[in-house]
Amino acid sequence: MSFNARYGVRSSEIGEDYRLKESGAAYFFQECAAEYFASKGFAGYDMARRGLTWLMGGIEARFSAPMPFWREPVYVSVWIRGGSAARMYADFEMAGEDGRAFALGEASYIAAEIEGRKPLKIAEFLSAFEADPRCALGGFERIFDVCGKIPSAPYPPVSRKVRADDIDFNSHLTNVKYLPRAIEALPDEFIARRRLAGYAIKFRREARLGETVESSARASGNCALHELSVGGRPAASVATLWEPRG
């Protein structure tokens, strides 16, 4: 069983072609997933009353051009595929007004204590959802596997502080901003010749208000590997897959 919602592409989410930026699609998934969780009594504020919170363990997505145009509707479906001892897996699909899917992906969620971030067994939360075994990315090779190891030297790192408008209800850098932070370490000419076809993120630690996130990247062909760190400690590993612009 999936949870479905309709949104619209806003001017703050588009690129120079007036189409939804691939990095902005994550906002729609996060919003739809949050609504789904809230419908089961597991919204962030519901969890906080119990001294608990949600953390994202990882996310992976694939995109198919063209992306929706400004003000066009975006139809998002989110379903819970299953879980492991401590993680719940949510898959998603986004389609435009013509019904064509332009984004597919999956994410893992961890329920944890606010103090100390100790993970909990996921069974209590998983049992509230009707599992749907469909794997949105079943036909794709994992992006970290596609990229493999890139031996080239990294580009010069880019550093930026976490500011007040970067944080979410967990008082840390919101998940959807890790991808833009990773991509900004790539040279402008690399990005100008390509469009983002997919990405994968493995979250390592939280970045909090006032901390400085350092972003480094190395690329080979249409693949790039990125590392985000805070105070010299890994915050996230990211792999991005690109296609030449047509």
Side-chain angles (χ1 to χ4, degrees):
M1 178 179 178
S2 62
F3 183 89
N4 306 302
R6 179 190 184 278
Y7 306 101
V9 178
R10 300 175 298 184
S11 59
S12 59
E13 297 159 343
I14 61 175
E16 59 185 12
D17 60 355
Y18 282 83
R19 293 190 177 276
L20 174 67
K21 291 183 286 188
E22 289 83 1
S23 60
Y27 286 95
F28 292 120
F29 161 63
Q30 182 159 289
E31 185 68 19
C32 189
E35 290 188 41
Y36 193 12
F37 286 18
S39 73
K40 302 297 184 179
F42 296 143
Y45 47 76
D46 295 316
M47 299 288 279
R49 294 191 192 104
R50 301 170 56 184
L52 306 176
T53 190
W54 288 110
L55 301 174
M56 186 175 285
I59 185 170
E60 183 159 347
R62 292 278 192 148
F63 303 108
S64 177
M67 302 293 279
F69 202 77
W70 174 49
R71 296 190 296 182
E72 286 185 348
V74 173
Y75 299 94
V76 185
S77 295
V78 174
W79 63 94
I80 302 301
R81 176 163 41 90
S84 59
R87 297 193 180 212
M88 185 163 66
Y89 301 105
D91 287 47
F92 62 88
E93 177 183 288
M94 301 182 201
E97 61 182 347
D98 60 357
R100 182 189 63 88
F102 65 85
L104 300 169
E106 63 182 33
S108 63
Y109 286 90
I110 301 167
E113 297 176 356
I114 292 177
E115 295 297 327
R117 296 305 202 239
K118 180 183 176 181
L120 304 176
K121 291 182 178 180
I122 205 67
E124 172 196 346
F125 307 95
L126 187 61
S127 64
F129 298 88
E130 183 179 339
D132 183 334
R134 288 178 298 148
C135 182
L137 297 178
F140 295 95
E141 187 178 359
R142 297 296 175 179
I143 294 176
F144 273 102
D145 293 335
V146 173
C147 292
K149 294 182 179 180
I150 297 178
S152 60
Y155 299 110
V158 176
S159 297
R160 198 196 308 181
K161 277 191 173 183
V162 178
R163 303 187 182 280
D165 62 352
D166 293 325
I167 62 173
D168 60 14
F169 63 85
N170 271 325
S171 298
H172 63 200
L173 179 65
T174 185
N175 298 321
V176 296
K177 294 202 173 184
Y178 277 72
L179 178 62
R181 291 289 183 98
I183 290 175
E184 67 185 2
L186 292 170
D188 292 341
E189 57 270 23
F190 179 96
I191 298 172
R193 296 195 299 266
R194 297 170 173 85
R195 58 167 289 272
L196 187 64
Y199 71 93
I201 304 177
K202 297 176 181 178
F203 297 101
R204 309 293 190 191
R205 71 178 297 269
E206 299 167 282
R208 298 192 173 279
L209 180 65
E211 292 183 327
T212 297
V213 177
E214 181 177 278
S215 174
S216 65
R218 60 184 76 210
S220 177
N222 289 320
C223 283
L225 295 177
H226 315 252
E227 293 294 333
L228 299 179
S229 61
V230 176
R233 299 172 59 192
S237 296
V238 183
T240 54
L241 187 62
W242 303 78
E243 293 178 347
R245 289 190 183 273

